[in-house]
């Protein structure tokens, strides 16, 4: 019996051996426990996370919201590097669209529509940082490792076209979801912002469209072929075709959760950096000049004025920001003497979830509309949108938008735990919006003064939000006034652009040099003036 078994088993083993030899090396190296493709929903989720500009980064320093006072942790210089590189994320946008199609998505489907938005968002942001960038020939992989640079104007024209097309596609999908196809490719999954609600996304697309058009404000006259003002007016004047954010509940915002995703400033790192950063004069001075109650929520009084000079902690004169241009050694010494306001401990350090980080929001949109109307691009009441923006920002901090009171929390000197409520002194702050708004510096004046007011209030509303947007707006308008000095370096100038990645110099040399020659006199100069600023 044993002999018979051996006779029959031998051919079987030989066949198995021959079969295994026919497998390719690629087949043999495949891991059966690792997926060979990523679903569109998972790629979508990753793209969303990559688009977020988190607080507590260098963007806030360059926007002069708060600044470092100790060089070991960072500095306030405008010695720009290469900025953000979103090309890997854009490759995932292509993969996402392909996966949506293979999993049942029609030619027009939710992933395809929002893929256009992501393209516009990432390409325009990189261009705003650097100028001309590879776009048309980018993302081709091994088939083109040396893509040519598209002009900044071409990038902006294409980005605006993508946003227009995304709005059109979303209109179809919202009206008739079956247009998107069947299966997984026809329904958004993994959406951390809106849970797949396309009506919310359409508002975001159009709000970003307005933001990008305003970034082109210097080109309205010099490049009339772009129809910037006409496009702006079309969006503002046609809410059925171009729905916009109706309230802060429509915000695209990143919410922090515990224990998996802590707010960058939290009880665990308070001891390390709680006193290494202080508020900036650029931000604090605007608030105190306007007698703005937001200062009680976002900052704390400088203790020298309260403890030594015996000023009231709720006196606006007790809130002092540091000059961003100040030498860091001097600033550090002054901070040690408690001459500056620190960021509010209760609001930013006492919990692990902090506050939501707004990427594109209602308050900003209202200021953007007010600016466009002020510039004569669209019809409407600029003051209404201006006050909408202010009140939305106040409400974000739980400050009454009519008349009422709120509680200010200031960390008590000598306390050792930011989580403990009893370590804060509390003050009831009465606020009347009508009185606040009646101040000549706050009440909308129209004309050039009104434009400055809009931009100042927009700056205040974007504190800790939207990454470099306040820096971009300053660069475009000069509002608010950014200060410079030894501490900001760069010859006491605010840099105007970021450099190209160093890899471009070695791996895409010809196109890199051509882009520099056509824009910046052949130099990768952070003080070079890009097309959008001319």
């Amino acid at each position: 019996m044993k002999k018979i078994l051996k006779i029959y088993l031998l051919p079987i083993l030989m066949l198995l051996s021959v079969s295994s030899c026919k497998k390719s090396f690629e087949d043999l190296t495949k891991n059966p426990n690792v997926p060979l493709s990523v679903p569109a929903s998972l790629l979508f989720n990753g793209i969303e996370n990559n688009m977020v500009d988190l607080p507590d980064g260098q963007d806030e320093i360059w926007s002069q919201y708060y600044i470092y006072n100790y060089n070991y942790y960072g500095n306030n210089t405008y010695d720009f590097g290469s900025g953000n590189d979103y090309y890997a994320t854009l490759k995932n946008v292509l993969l996402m669209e392909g996966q949506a199609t293979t999993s049942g998505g029609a030619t027009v489907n939710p992933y395809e529509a929002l893929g256009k938005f992501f393209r516009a968002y990432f390409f325009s942001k990189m261009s705003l940082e650097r100028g001309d960038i590879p776009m048309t020939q980018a993302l081709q992989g091994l088939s083109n490792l040396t893509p040519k640079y598209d002009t900044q104007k071409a990038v902006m024209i294409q980005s605006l076209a993508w946003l227009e097309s995304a709005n059109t596609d979303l209109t179809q999908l919202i009206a008739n979801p079956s247009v998107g196809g069947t299966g997984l490719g026809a329904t958004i999954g993994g959406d951390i912002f809106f849970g797949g609600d396309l009506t919310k996304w359409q508002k975001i697309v159009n709000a970003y469209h307005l933001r990008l058009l305003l970034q082109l404000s210097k080109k309205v006259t010099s490049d009339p072929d772009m129809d910037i003002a006409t496009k702006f007016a079309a969006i503002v004047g046609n809410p059925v075709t171009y729905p916009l954010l109706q309230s802060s509940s429509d915000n695209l915002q990143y919410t922090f959760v515990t224990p998996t995703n802590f707010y960058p400033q939290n009880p665990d790192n308070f001891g390390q950096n709680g006193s290494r950063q202080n508020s900036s004069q650029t931000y604090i001075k605007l608030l105190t000049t306007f007698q703005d109650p937001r200062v009680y929520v976002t900052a704390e009084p400088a203790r020298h004025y309260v403890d030594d000079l015996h000023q009231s902690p709720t006196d606006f004169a007790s809130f002092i920001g540091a000059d961003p241009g100040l030498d860091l050694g001097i600033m550090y010494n002054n901070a040690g003497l408690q001459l500056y306001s620190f960021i509010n401990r209760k609001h930013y350090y006492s919990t692990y979830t902090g506050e939501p980080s707004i990427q594109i929001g209602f308050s900003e949109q209202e200021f953007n509309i007010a600016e466009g109307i002020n510039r004569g691009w669209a019809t409407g009441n600029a003051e209404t949108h201006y006050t909408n923006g202010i009140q939305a920002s106040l409400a974000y901090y739980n400050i009454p938008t009519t008349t009422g009171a709120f509680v200010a929390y200031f960390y008590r000197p000598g306390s050792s735990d930011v989580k403990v409520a009893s370590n804060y002194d509390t003050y009831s702050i009465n606020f009347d919006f009508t009185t606040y708004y009646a101040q000549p510096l706050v009440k909308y004046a129209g004309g050039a003064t009104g434009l400055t007011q809009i931009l100042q209030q927009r700056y205040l509303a974007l504190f800790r939000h939207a990454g470099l947007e306040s820096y971009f707006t300053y660069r475009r308008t000069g509002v608010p006034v950014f200060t410079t000095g030894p501490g900001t370096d760069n010859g006491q100038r605010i840099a105007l652009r970021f450099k190209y990645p160093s890899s471009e110099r070695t791996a895409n040399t010809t196109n890199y040099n051509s882009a520099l020659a056509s824009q910046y006199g052949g130099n990768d100069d952070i003080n070079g003036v890009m097309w959008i600023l001319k």
Side-chain angles (χ1 to χ4, degrees), residues 327-482:
D327 177 86
L328 218 56
I330 298 173
M331 190 186 298
Y332 177 68
N333 183 65
N334 289 346
L337 295 173
Q338 302 294 307
L339 298 182
Y340 301 135
S341 295
F342 290 109
I343 198 166
N344 191 278
R345 272 73 166 138
K346 182 68 166 67
H347 192 72
Y348 295 108
Y349 275 109
S350 67
T351 71
Y352 290 94
T353 53
E355 64 180 14
S357 181
I358 302 170
Q359 306 303 300
I360 301 171
F362 175 71
S363 181
E364 181 208 341
Q365 172 195 277
E366 292 303 285
F367 290 125
N368 290 345
I369 294 174
E371 179 180 346
I373 295 172
N374 176 281
R375 290 182 180 276
W377 294 4
T379 58
N381 190 321
E383 185 173 17
T384 297
H385 293 284
Y386 171 70
T387 56
N388 285 347
I390 296 173
Q391 291 182 312
S393 179
L394 293 171
Y396 177 81
Y397 295 115
N398 294 315
I399 297 172
T401 55
T402 52
T403 302
F406 67 97
V407 178
Y409 297 86
F410 302 141
Y411 194 56
R412 189 178 305 111
S415 300
S416 58
D417 192 340
V418 289
K419 300 190 301 296
V420 178
S422 60
N423 286 338
Y424 294 89
D425 295 321
T426 59
Y427 301 88
S428 180
I429 308 295
N430 294 313
F431 177 68
D432 180 73
F433 181 78
T434 301
T435 302
Y436 168 78
Y437 189 71
Q439 297 177 94
L441 290 175
V442 177
K443 183 172 175 55
Y444 182 68
T449 299
L451 178 58
T452 297
Q453 292 173 314
I454 292 166
L455 295 170
Q456 288 173 332
Q457 288 287 347
R458 184 181 187 272
Y459 176 79
L460 295 178
L462 288 183
F463 180 64
R464 315 222 75 187
H465 303 300
L468 287 168
E469 186 56 28
S470 285
Y471 159 77
F472 289 147
T473 302
Y474 161 78
R475 189 181 65 176
R476 173 175 65 91
T477 67
V479 180
V481 176
F482 281 13

Side-chain angles (χ1 to χ4, degrees), residues 492-513:
Q492 301 191 23
R493 293 172 292 179
I494 303 296
L496 295 178
R497 61 175 293 272
F498 291 79
K499 294 182 177 181
Y500 291 112
S502 58
S503 58
E504 284 293 282
R505 185 173 62 252
T506 55
N508 194 13
T509 307
T510 299
N511 293 317
Y512 166 80
N513 287 330

Side-chain angles (χ1 to χ4, degrees), residues 57-67 75-81 83 468 470-471 474 482 494 498:
Q58 203 66 29
D59 292 353
E60 293 179 292
I61 305 298
W62 292 325
S63 297
Q64 297 197 358
Y65 281 125
Y66 71 86
I67 47 184
N75 58 55
N76 310 313
T77 66
Y78 284 87
D79 297 330
F80 283 177
L468 287 168
S470 285
Y471 159 77
Y474 161 78
F482 281 13
I494 303 296
F498 291 79

Side-chain angles (χ1 to χ4, degrees), residues 130 132 149 151 497 500 508-525 529 534:
R130 301 182 190 121
D132 297 356
Y149 285 55
T151 65
R497 61 175 293 272
Y500 291 112
N508 194 13
T509 307
T510 299
N511 293 317
Y512 166 80
N513 287 330
S514 177
L516 291 180
S518 65
Q519 297 175 94
Y520 310 119
N523 300 310
D524 201 355
D525 182 8
V529 182
K534 295 179 180 178

Side-chain angles (χ1 to χ4, degrees), residues 53-300:
D53 297 302
L54 296 174
D56 193 29
Q58 203 66 29
D59 292 353
E60 293 179 292
I61 305 298
W62 292 325
S63 297
Q64 297 197 358
Y65 281 125
Y66 71 86
I67 47 184
Y68 289 106
N69 59 43
Y70 189 59
N71 197 49
Y72 180 83
Y73 292 93
N75 58 55
N76 310 313
T77 66
Y78 284 87
D79 297 330
F80 283 177
S82 60
N84 293 298
D85 186 342
Y86 294 115
Y87 285 106
T89 302
L90 283 161
K91 289 179 182 178
N92 284 337
V93 172
L94 295 182
L95 290 172
M96 175 191 75
E97 293 169 338
Q99 286 297 105
T101 300
T102 59
S103 58
T107 302
V108 174
N109 66 71
Y111 291 105
E112 168 271 335
L114 293 180
K116 292 175 180 175
F117 165 73
F118 290 135
R119 279 182 170 84
Y121 186 84
F122 292 122
F123 275 119
S124 66
K125 283 186 71 177
M126 288 192 292
S127 181
L128 285 170
E129 291 183 10
R130 301 182 190 121
D132 297 356
I133 57 171
M135 180 187 66
T136 307
Q137 294 184 5
L139 311 178
Q140 295 179 6
L142 293 175
S143 63
N144 188 357
L145 296 175
T146 56
K148 290 183 179 180
Y149 285 55
D150 292 79
T151 65
Q152 186 171 52
K153 180 175 181 178
V155 173
M156 293 301 158
I157 289 173
Q158 180 60 73
S159 295
L160 295 172
W162 276 324
L163 293 170
E164 184 71 35
S165 184
N167 177 66
T168 299
D169 290 352
L170 288 168
T171 297
Q172 294 183 56
L173 292 164
I174 292 167
N176 183 9
S178 64
V179 168
T182 58
L184 296 176
T187 306
I188 290 290
D191 183 3
I192 61 173
F193 293 126
F194 300 126
D197 187 340
L198 297 184
T199 61
K200 296 275 191 181
W201 272 110
Q202 187 176 26
K203 296 174 184 179
I204 294 299
V205 168
N206 294 322
Y208 187 74
H209 202 159
L210 292 178
R211 179 198 286 184
L212 194 56
L213 286 167
L214 281 174
Q215 287 293 349
L216 294 159
S217 63
K218 288 183 176 292
K219 314 308 294 185
V220 172
T221 303
S222 61
D223 290 79
D225 58 304
M226 295 190 70
D227 292 326
I228 296 163
T230 301
K231 291 173 181 175
F232 191 95
I235 296 171
V236 172
N238 296 280
V240 174
T241 303
Y242 299 98
L244 290 166
L245 313 184
Q246 297 302 300
S247 70
S248 295
S249 64
D250 290 330
N251 287 353
L252 179 74
Q253 61 186 31
Y254 192 78
T255 303
F256 297 89
V257 296
T258 185
T260 56
N261 184 23
F262 290 167
Y263 191 76
Q265 287 161 313
N266 59 68
D268 291 350
N269 59 36
F270 172 70
Q272 175 178 315
N273 63 15
S275 62
R276 305 305 184 195
Q277 298 160 326
N278 40 251
S279 295
S280 165
Q281 173 181 279
T282 309
Y283 173 66
I284 294 294
K285 188 65 174 177
L286 271 182
L287 289 169
T288 57
T289 299
F290 297 160
Q291 298 190 11
D292 195 301
R294 284 171 285 191
V295 76
Y296 299 128
V297 181
T298 63
E300 296 196 351

